[in-house]
Amino acid sequence: MTTRRILHVCSCEDTMPLDAKALGACDGEVRLVRQLCRAQLDAFTRSLAEGRPVTVACTQEAPLFAEAAEEAGFAQPLAFANVRETGGWSGEAKKAGPKMAALLAAAAVTTPPAALVSLKSEGTVLIYGRDDTAIRIGERLRDILDVTVMLSAPGEIAPPRVSHFPVVKGKATAAKGHLGAFEVAVDEYAQPSPSSRDRLVFGAGRKGTSRCDLIIDVSGGTPLFVAPDLRQGYLRADPADRAAVERVVFEASQLVGEFDKPRFIRFNASICAHSRSHKTGCTRCLELCPAGAITPNGDSVAISAEICMGCGTCASVCPTGAAAYDYPPATTVMERVRAMLLTYAEAGGKMPVLLIHDAEHGAGLIEALARFGEGLPAHILPVEVNEVTQIGLECLAASFAYGAAAVRFLLKARPKHDVGGLIRNIDYANALAAGLGLGDALAATIETDDPDALAAALSGVSLANPLGRPARFMPLGAGRQLLRLSLRELHAAAPIRPERIPLPPKAPIGGIVVDVEGCTLCHSCVSACPTGALMDNPDKPMLRFSEELCVQCGLCQATCPEKVIRLEPRIDFAAWEAPPRVMKEEEPFQCIQCGKPFGTKSTIERIAARLEGKHWMFAGENATRASILKMCDACRIEAVVNETLDPHGAPPRPKPRTTEDYLREREKTGGKDPLA
């Protein structure tokens, strides 16, 4: 029996035209139907018995088809593709055949299962407020949660008739942690006197720490966390907004038990380029993480899977691949883009534009445009990801290599977190595209919450000259390896192929410039380089550099004692293919006693010039001893042992300078500071 995938493509009661010829470009057996979810459901159930993978061109009725497959004991992959709102319901529906084929091809790419992180909440909640609003919230939640109310400015609070939960005074100064494990630092903590009569009377304040599973913040003040909306278990509302207060009360009531969340980031500390020997190098992820989930941890960083909310910015800018997005992996997204663009071209599509969006915001906007407007143009290919900010330079480079005429990222008008990492990658990709003759500003963002504004922005997209022969490579490897592969394939497919293209600052690829005159070949940079881009030569004083391995972390620049190294963001394809380049080379100095090479000639001569005739050990009657500076370690030891050196022959040390000396000199200078 054939194992070709079965593709059920429904016209949704003839509300959209189906191009059988274009759909034939899909790798599978296409079966056209009119109403698969109702009148022709038996056609779907019969196909399950064939034991082949199945794709259904419908997402609205996906639960129905999934249930039927489960009842039938279907064990093959079952995928769904939305070709209606993204293509068929459009003013250009008759030209959308290649797009539908592309969407079906992308849906067939298998997504690996996500690793999970477990969070446990036992329902201990700290309600932090300033008035009786916090107490009223506590009254509503006391039968569900273990409540403690802390008031920053209690004022005139009447004592409760029955103390169902503690009401204390305190000011939260800092907080850390996550759902199930919060810690709040408290100043002016005090409990009320049990004899409080007309109002709660609190004792003397002190410092303390509150540990809880949840925090409800209705203080109306500064949030306890950066990006408070991204911290699970921290619920914040304006106490004057009754609707917002109701929302947090409901959300808090649901946060008891064990919860699983995806482990968005896979982290390999061994290749992190953050620090070496207390010198700081790469800080890209630390600068951009909106949730505060990343902290320094010695030579690497630490990423809290419990706090991480999956924006993916760290992975998109990580130059080594130490932080890699895993929901899904970058290779899965690139496989979808590859399947989409290659199938679109094979079906006869021209000038494809990728529209990368998320499910929460982008999918809803696209659906609204299809239902109430003209829909997406036929050449706009939507790519749904978990977070738009997870897309890195490797995916952008691969998209251009596969034949994308442009790429647009659909964002909210006011993004929920910083998109600085995405903007950086867009700038790098545009610099590459311009340098390779593909055009200017091929990648950009569309920031809107209005479907009509989205349509207007897409109609004004400038398109690149299509590649003569788009690349067909499979996205293999991970991290740095995947980036190098994408860039090489893009360079090979480009209309012009310059050897070097300058890139904007903080690019993850580039070279270094070494002031050769100032370099002493101490090799501090070699020991600090985390990727092996800088190398020595065990047989000769030499500094070598492999540009392909350089991640522009800056550790060599920070470590160099002579400060003669600077970074130069660029991509040099010729250097990538060449062997390591010699940055500086010197002849070794030969021991004047035995002829053994040691050190470098310039270093030994520089030391000798600084000490001969100047230091007491090598001046006057000891001048002949300067020759030991030009001996290897073995000969130097022998020479020193065989000669006599009076340790008391050193000149007397200067007397310590006291306060009295300073004041005496100040009097002589008429009150002026003698050290000025």
Side-chain angles (χ1 to χ4, degrees), residues 290-372:
I294 306 178
T295 53
N297 184 31
D299 283 349
S300 71
V301 299
I303 301 179
S304 170
E306 293 80 8
I307 297 175
C308 174
M309 290 301 291
C311 72
T313 300
C314 58
S316 72
V317 300
C318 181
T320 65
Y325 205 73
D326 210 30
Y327 190 68
T331 50
T332 301
V333 176
M334 292 169 66
E335 284 175 19
R336 290 177 186 166
V337 169
R338 176 184 183 275
M340 184 176 286
L341 289 171
L342 296 184
T343 303
Y344 179 81
E346 189 173 343
K350 304 293 183 183
M351 307 298 281
V353 175
L354 296 183
L355 178 63
I356 300 177
H357 66 90
D358 62 8
E360 178 185 357
H361 171 252
L365 212 59
I366 291 171
E367 180 177 345
L369 186 60
R371 292 180 179 273
F372 307 107

Side-chain angles (χ1 to χ4, degrees), residues 222-412:
T222 303
L224 300 180
F225 294 96
V226 177
D229 294 341
L230 300 180
R231 185 70 57 131
Q232 285 184 314
Y234 177 67
L235 310 175
R236 183 170 179 266
D238 183 347
D241 187 342
R242 296 181 61 181
V245 171
E246 289 296 321
R247 282 195 295 271
V248 300
V249 169
F250 174 76
E251 290 177 29
S253 68
Q254 307 301 306
L255 292 178
V256 182
E258 293 190 13
F259 305 90
D260 288 334
K261 60 176 287 187
R263 185 181 292 273
F264 298 103
I265 301 297
R266 184 177 66 258
F267 183 65
N268 182 357
S270 66
I271 58 174
C272 177
H274 169 60
S275 174
R276 293 293 185 276
S277 303
H278 304 288
K279 297 289 186 180
T280 301
C282 178
T283 58
R284 292 171 173 88
C285 61
L286 289 166
E287 296 167 357
L288 295 172
C289 178
I294 306 178
T295 53
N297 184 31
D299 283 349
S300 71
V301 299
I303 301 179
S304 170
E306 293 80 8
I307 297 175
C308 174
M309 290 301 291
C311 72
T313 300
C314 58
S316 72
V317 300
C318 181
T320 65
Y325 205 73
D326 210 30
Y327 190 68
T331 50
T332 301
V333 176
M334 292 169 66
E335 284 175 19
R336 290 177 186 166
V337 169
R338 176 184 183 275
M340 184 176 286
L341 289 171
L342 296 184
T343 303
Y344 179 81
E346 189 173 343
K350 304 293 183 183
M351 307 298 281
V353 175
L354 296 183
L355 178 63
I356 300 177
H357 66 90
D358 62 8
E360 178 185 357
H361 171 252
L365 212 59
I366 291 171
E367 180 177 345
L369 186 60
R371 292 180 179 273
F372 307 107
E374 286 296 308
L376 292 179
H379 68 290
I380 303 294
L381 308 183
V383 181
E384 183 176 312
V385 294
N386 182 56
E387 289 283 357
V388 173
T389 45
Q390 76 186 70
I391 301 300
L393 179 57
E394 71 284 344
C395 187
L396 279 167
S399 298
F400 294 144
Y402 291 138
V407 178
R408 291 296 180 267
F409 294 89
L410 180 54
L411 302 170
K412 289 183 177 180

Side-chain angles (χ1 to χ4, degrees), residues 213-224:
D213 298 315
L214 308 171
I215 301 174
I216 297 178
D217 185 353
V218 286
S219 65
T222 303
L224 300 180

Side-chain angles (χ1 to χ4, degrees), residues 600-611:
T600 62
K601 187 175 181 180
S602 63
T603 301
I604 300 301
E605 290 178 348
R606 187 182 296 112
I607 293 173
R610 288 182 179 180
L611 296 178

Side-chain angles (χ1 to χ4, degrees), residues 53-289:
V54 174
T55 297
V56 179
C58 176
T59 53
Q60 176 179 291
E61 301 297 331
L64 171 67
F65 297 121
E67 181 181 358
E70 184 178 0
E71 291 177 354
F74 185 64
Q76 294 294 324
L78 176 62
F80 301 94
N82 181 2
V83 301
R84 188 179 68 179
E85 282 83 1
T86 57
W89 284 359
S90 166
E92 297 183 4
K94 292 183 178 180
K95 299 189 294 183
K99 177 199 280 193
M100 291 184 183
L103 294 170
L104 290 168
V109 175
T110 303
T111 300
L116 299 177
V117 179
S118 294
L119 303 175
K120 184 178 182 180
S121 168
E122 296 180 351
T124 303
V125 60
L126 174 67
I127 304 175
Y128 180 50
R130 64 189 182 192
D131 51 31
D132 58 356
T133 299
I135 297 177
R136 290 197 299 270
I137 293 174
E139 289 289 350
R140 295 182 59 183
L141 291 173
R142 64 184 175 87
D143 293 332
I144 305 171
L145 305 176
D146 182 1
V147 173
T148 297
V149 173
M150 185 170 73
L151 303 177
S152 59
E156 301 290 332
I157 300 293
R161 292 173 55 198
V162 180
S163 297
H164 293 290
F165 50 83
V167 177
V168 300
K169 184 184 78 168
K171 183 177 181 181
T173 57
K176 63 181 180 179
H178 52 83
L179 175 65
F182 283 110
E183 286 188 17
V184 182
V186 181
D187 277 354
E188 303 174 18
Y189 171 78
Q191 293 185 346
S193 171
S195 62
S196 298
R197 185 175 181 180
D198 60 334
R199 61 186 178 85
L200 289 177
V201 178
F202 296 88
R206 58 183 175 85
K207 293 183 180 294
T209 301
S210 174
R211 292 176 174 83
C212 54
D213 298 315
L214 308 171
I215 301 174
I216 297 178
D217 185 353
V218 286
S219 65
T222 303
L224 300 180
F225 294 96
V226 177
D229 294 341
L230 300 180
R231 185 70 57 131
Q232 285 184 314
Y234 177 67
L235 310 175
R236 183 170 179 266
D238 183 347
D241 187 342
R242 296 181 61 181
V245 171
E246 289 296 321
R247 282 195 295 271
V248 300
V249 169
F250 174 76
E251 290 177 29
S253 68
Q254 307 301 306
L255 292 178
V256 182
E258 293 190 13
F259 305 90
D260 288 334
K261 60 176 287 187
R263 185 181 292 273
F264 298 103
I265 301 297
R266 184 177 66 258
F267 183 65
N268 182 357
S270 66
I271 58 174
C272 177
H274 169 60
S275 174
R276 293 293 185 276
S277 303
H278 304 288
K279 297 289 186 180
T280 301
C282 178
T283 58
R284 292 171 173 88
C285 61
L286 289 166
E287 296 167 357
L288 295 172
C289 178

Side-chain angles (χ1 to χ4, degrees), residues 464-551:
N465 296 321
L467 297 176
R469 290 188 61 186
R472 303 183 66 89
F473 69 97
M474 290 296 296
L476 303 175
R480 191 71 178 181
Q481 179 184 3
L482 191 60
L483 175 61
R484 291 198 294 260
L485 173 64
S486 300
L487 293 173
R488 279 193 171 100
E489 292 289 345
L490 176 60
H491 184 255
I496 61 174
R497 302 171 190 174
E499 290 187 351
R500 180 181 293 186
I501 300 173
L503 295 176
K506 294 192 176 182
I509 47 182
I512 62 171
V513 177
V514 179
D515 179 4
V516 176
E517 295 299 324
C519 176
T520 61
L521 288 176
C522 67
H523 290 153
S524 297
C525 55
V526 174
S527 61
C529 182
T531 63
L534 283 163
M535 298 164 279
D536 60 2
N537 186 336
D539 299 323
K540 194 174 185 180
M542 183 184 294
L543 177 64
R544 297 181 296 160
F545 176 64
S546 176
E547 187 152 334
E548 183 184 21
L549 300 177
C550 180
V551 298

